[in-house]
């Protein structure tokens, strides 16, 4: 009777069975209590003589058997309920698994679709790559062709460069031989001029070496030619030395005039005087010491030293030395021209130097009465002719 609600409740929802089904321990306690109460009741009933004790024992055994049966049945039901729950869980998991499988299948389909699309892209890329590779191969081939051509050009260039080097060295050789020829031509000109001078003027004493600091034979010959042609009354020389002697001899030979040499350096003025004396030209050549004084920022021979001079027919500008300052010889024309003859000649030496060329240009610009002829002398010379007539 105690387990009746349990029996009629079957079949019930698993949750309710779970609620109504006591645990094995509870069943044992309930059975023990029921058995105990039954035995106690039977003992009491037997003690009060309500029932015979063998009947009480029989009833007690029956009650114990029933309790044991009830426990067994309840255990079976309990296991059964557990099995049902497990079954339901398994079904739920199966459903979840099926859902998962469906999702997996969908994913697989998607992946396959993507894979197909990817394959298509890969195919496109591979095709494009193939085309590119073909194109690249074409470029490489053309590049190789260019490289070969370039190598050819480089080789030709090397050959041309070698040829050019050979030409350059040949040109350098020619240049050198030309320079030597020019030099030997110059040497020859100087020797020829010196031979002429010596033959014509026959100096009576040893002479200082020409060229270098002194005038070269070619310019001296030019001066002697002018003396021979014009027989100037007065020759003014800027810078004394060997040229003073040669000019003295020229005046002596072709007659008439005198030479005044302006010398800024007192020592060299003395040396030049001695030289003139040694050649017996004192009566023709006068060396005047003319210290440099400033004229319009240029240091030049003191004008007081030559203020007495007039009507010079020939002026030889060979000083002051270039070390005395820029355009050192420029004042010669501004300061000496008033002391010159109307048809005077002015010879400017060393015109291979830029300074002297600049001086010449200035003279021509500032003195229109001057005309110029360039003379191919070793150190360069220019001849200016005054023409005021
Ligand atoms: C360019 S040199 C020319 C001198 C002179 N016209 C000649 O041809 O011999 C100019 C200066 O050289 C200096 N000089 C003169 N005799 C010299 C000598 N024996 N050695 C070095 N310099 C000298 C003088 O001061 C002179 O003014």
């Amino acid at each position: 009777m105690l387990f009746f609600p349990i029996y009629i409740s079957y079949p019930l929802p698993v949750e309710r069975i779970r609620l109504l089904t006591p645990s094995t321990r509870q069943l044992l306690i309930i059975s023990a209590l029921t058995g105990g109460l039954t035995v106690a009741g039977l003992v009491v009933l037997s003690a009060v003589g309500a029932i015979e004790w063998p009947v009480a024992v029989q009833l007690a055994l029956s009650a114990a058997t029933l309790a044991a049966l009830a426990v067994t049945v309840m255990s079976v039901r309990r296991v059964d309920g557990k099995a049902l729950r497990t079954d339901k869980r398994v079904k739920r998991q199966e459903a979840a698994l099926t859902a998962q499988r469906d999702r997996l299948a969908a994913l697989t389909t998607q992946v396959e679709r993507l894979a197909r699309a990817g394959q298509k892209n890969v195919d496109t890329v591979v095709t494009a790559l193939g085309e590119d590779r073909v194109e690249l191969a074409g470029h490489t081939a053309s590049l190789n062709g260019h490289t070969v051509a370039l190598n050819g050009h480089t080789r030709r260039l090397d050959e041309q460069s070698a040829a050019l080097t050979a030409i350059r060295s040949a040109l350098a050789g020619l240049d050198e031989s030309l320079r030597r020829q020019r030099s030997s031509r110059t040497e020859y000109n100087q020797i020829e001029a010196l031979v002429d001078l010596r033959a014509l003027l026959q100096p009576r004493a040893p002479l200082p070496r020409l060229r270098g600091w002194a005038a070269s034979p070619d310019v001296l010959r030019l001066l002697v030619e002018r003396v021979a042609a014009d027989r100037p009354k007065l020759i003014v020389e800027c810078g004394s030395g060997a040229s003073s002697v040669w000019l003295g001899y020229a005046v002596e030979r072709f007659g008439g005039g005198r030479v005044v040499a302006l010398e800024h350096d007192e020592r060299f003025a003395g040396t030049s005087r001695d030289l003139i004396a040694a050649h017996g030209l004192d009566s023709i050549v006068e060396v005047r010491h003319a210290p440099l004084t400033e004229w319009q920022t240029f240091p030049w021979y003191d004008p007081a030293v030559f203020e007495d001079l007039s009507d010079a027919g020939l002026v030889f500008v060979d000083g002051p030395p270039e070390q005395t300052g820029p355009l050192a010889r420029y004042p010669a024309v501004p300061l000496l021209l008033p002391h010159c003859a109307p048809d005077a000649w002015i010879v400017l030496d060393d015109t291979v130097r830029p300074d002297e060329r600049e001086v010449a240009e200035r003279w021509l610009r500032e003195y229109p009465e001057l005309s110029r002829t360039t003379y191919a002398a070793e150190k360069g010379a220019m001849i200016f002719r005054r023409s005021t007539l």
Side-chain angles (χ1 to χ4, degrees), residues 213-215 237 239-243 263-265 268 301 316 318 321 329:
W213 63 269
E237 183 183 36
S240 70
S243 60
E263 176 55 60
H264 74 284
D265 188 310
F268 283 125
Y301 305 109
F316 179 41
D318 197 21
R329 295 177 183 180

Side-chain angles (χ1 to χ4, degrees), residues 70-109:
V71 166
T72 307
V73 168
M74 287 308 292
S75 291
V76 168
R77 297 261 339 224
R78 202 167 167 273
V79 169
D80 199 21
K82 220 175 194 173
L84 274 173
R85 281 198 306 281
T86 305
D87 190 42
K88 192 145 186 191
R89 201 160 53 241
V90 166
K91 274 183 182 150
R92 262 203 320 275
Q93 284 173 351
E94 271 175 2
L97 264 173
T98 307
Q100 292 269 34
R101 201 179 301 122
D102 289 349
R103 272 203 298 281
L104 205 65
L107 269 174
T108 308
T109 312

Side-chain angles (χ1 to χ4, degrees), residues 77-353:
R77 297 261 339 224
R78 202 167 167 273
V79 169
D80 199 21
K82 220 175 194 173
L84 274 173
R85 281 198 306 281
T86 305
D87 190 42
K88 192 145 186 191
R89 201 160 53 241
V90 166
K91 274 183 182 150
R92 262 203 320 275
Q93 284 173 351
E94 271 175 2
L97 264 173
T98 307
Q100 292 269 34
R101 201 179 301 122
D102 289 349
R103 272 203 298 281
L104 205 65
L107 269 174
T108 308
T109 312
Q110 212 170 342
V111 166
E112 279 170 3
R113 207 169 49 244
L114 281 173
R116 272 198 302 281
Q119 185 60 45
K120 212 164 152 189
N121 284 343
V122 166
D123 289 348
T124 311
V125 169
V126 167
T127 310
L129 268 177
E131 285 166 6
D132 282 355
R133 205 174 295 132
V134 169
E135 205 177 329
L136 204 69
H139 284 315
T140 309
S142 126
L143 209 69
N144 285 341
H146 285 314
T147 308
V148 170
L150 203 71
N151 285 341
H153 285 314
T154 309
R155 211 173 29 254
R156 269 197 297 283
L157 236 122
D158 286 347
E159 284 162 13
Q160 282 170 0
S161 176
L164 212 70
T165 308
I167 290 171
R168 258 201 213 113
S169 106
L171 271 174
L174 274 176
D175 225 39
E176 175 59 21
S177 111
L178 207 70
R179 198 192 58 73
R180 272 204 224 107
Q181 273 181 19
R182 267 201 205 116
S183 161
S184 58
R185 176 101 198 135
T186 306
E187 299 304 313
Y188 172 78
N189 284 345
Q190 300 313 311
I191 292 166
E192 189 185 40
L194 187 63
V195 167
D196 268 5
L197 286 173
R198 282 190 170 270
L200 194 64
L201 304 178
Q202 298 178 356
R204 293 178 288 268
L207 272 161
R209 292 170 68 179
L210 296 179
R211 306 169 88 181
W213 63 269
S216 293
D218 53 5
V219 171
L220 290 175
R221 186 170 62 179
L222 171 71
L223 291 169
V224 172
E225 276 169 14
R226 283 268 52 85
V227 175
D230 297 326
R231 299 167 192 246
K233 295 261 172 304
L234 174 65
I235 299 169
V236 176
E237 183 183 36
C238 302
S240 70
S243 60
S244 315
V245 179
W246 286 104
L247 281 170
Y249 273 120
V251 169
E252 185 186 66
R253 168 81 170 75
F254 297 106
R258 64 185 183 119
V259 179
V260 174
L262 305 175
E263 176 55 60
H264 74 284
D265 188 310
E266 196 168 7
R267 189 166 58 97
F268 283 125
T271 311
S272 296
R273 273 187 210 114
D274 291 347
L275 196 62
I276 300 296
H279 285 268
L281 295 166
D282 317 65
S283 58
I284 299 171
V285 182
E286 180 192 356
V287 178
R288 293 188 183 182
H289 175 227
L292 300 179
T293 56
E294 194 164 299
W295 177 81
Q296 290 189 3
T297 75
F298 299 96
W300 212 71
Y301 305 109
D302 184 355
V305 175
F306 54 86
E307 63 184 358
D308 61 310
L309 301 180
S310 62
D311 226 17
L314 177 63
V315 177
F316 179 41
V317 184
D318 197 21
E322 61 178 335
Q323 304 89 290
T324 58
L327 305 180
R329 295 177 183 180
Y330 167 71
V333 165
L335 291 177
L336 282 178
L337 211 56
H339 304 274
C340 285
D343 57 349
W345 294 89
I346 299 163
V347 176
L348 176 63
D349 199 9
D350 301 312
T351 55
V352 288
R353 301 196 301 225

